[in-house]
Amino acid sequence: MKTLANYFFRGLLVLFPAFATVYLLVAGVRWADGLLSNLLAESFGVVVPGLGLVIVLGGVTLMGFLFSRAFVRPILSFLERLITRVPLVSIVYSSLKELTEAFVGDKKKFNKPVLVRFPGSGVHRVGFLTRESLDDFELEGHVAVYCPHSYNFSGNLYLVPSDCVSRLEINASDAMRYAVSAGATELG
């Protein structure tokens, strides 16, 4: 039963951020479209299709701008401290925050594309170097490489000898696109 619960929570951690984001964006677009359509129709007799989408995309961008300003950081830090004190919520929140920051934050982790060679097998895998020292795990000479799954929002973390990893001289977003598309995307 414990294994089943672990699978459920792992699935929740993978699915929740994607579905929550899509749900919030769709709900926001519908709300803005309904509100603006009614307001414009009643006031001016005009209906502008897609205005809700423009408003929501603009609003999300505006929030990103505001949250990147220095005067908002103390407020966000305070709210984050409150969230991290709630037992289950803190695990979900911190995991989602770290994953998001790995892709788009100031602490990007997936910006060093590498090729991992699995000795003796002739197999190579495209991945991203996420940690260059694993001394905490007493794995001297090893590195952490994240390899995304193809056509999926998941991946595996491999702890491999550093001599089995070679840097790829390509753009990190091209390497991610290549790995996620199962090699179907052209490079360059």
Side-chain angles (χ1 to χ4, degrees):
M1 191 64 170
K2 185 177 179 182
T3 303
L4 195 58
N6 284 339
Y7 288 150
F8 173 79
F9 285 115
R10 282 185 186 172
L12 192 62
L13 284 174
V14 170
L15 295 174
F16 177 73
F19 284 115
T21 301
V22 169
Y23 176 79
L24 289 173
L25 287 174
V26 168
V29 168
R30 285 184 179 163
W31 175 78
D33 256 348
L35 180 70
L36 293 172
S37 292
N38 289 340
L39 185 64
L40 290 174
E42 290 175 9
S43 301
F44 304 105
V46 176
V47 176
V48 181
L51 190 57
L53 179 63
V54 172
I55 297 295
V56 167
L57 292 178
V60 169
T61 304
L62 179 64
M63 286 296 163
F65 172 76
L66 289 175
F67 290 153
S68 65
R69 301 294 113 200
F71 66 88
V72 178
R73 290 198 178 135
I75 298 167
L76 290 177
S77 294
F78 173 74
L79 292 173
E80 190 171 317
R81 282 193 304 274
L82 288 177
I83 289 172
T84 56
R85 290 184 182 169
V86 180
L88 184 60
V89 173
S90 69
I91 293 170
V92 173
Y93 174 78
S94 61
S95 299
L96 294 176
K97 181 179 181 218
E98 288 172 11
L99 181 63
T100 303
E101 285 179 345
F103 279 103
V104 296
D106 294 333
K107 304 173 189 172
K108 286 182 186 171
K109 294 286 185 188
F110 303 132
N111 59 354
K112 298 175 189 166
V114 296
L115 192 63
V116 180
R117 177 179 44 83
F118 293 94
S121 67
V123 174
H124 295 76
R125 184 118 195 228
V126 174
F128 297 88
L129 188 66
T130 58
R131 190 169 300 255
E132 296 190 36
S133 170
L134 295 175
D135 293 342
D136 294 345
F137 294 111
E138 297 178 9
L139 291 172
E140 189 175 319
H142 282 65
V143 295
V145 178
Y146 175 76
C147 296
H149 289 148
S150 300
Y151 300 109
N152 204 341
F153 291 103
S154 63
N156 292 321
L157 177 67
Y158 296 102
L159 308 179
V160 297
S162 56
D163 62 349
C164 290
V165 175
S166 55
R167 295 276 176 138
L168 290 174
E169 297 300 323
I170 61 174
N171 186 304
S173 60
D174 288 341
M176 182 65 82
R177 202 169 25 257
Y178 184 82
V180 171
S181 73
T185 299
E186 295 290 328
L187 291 175

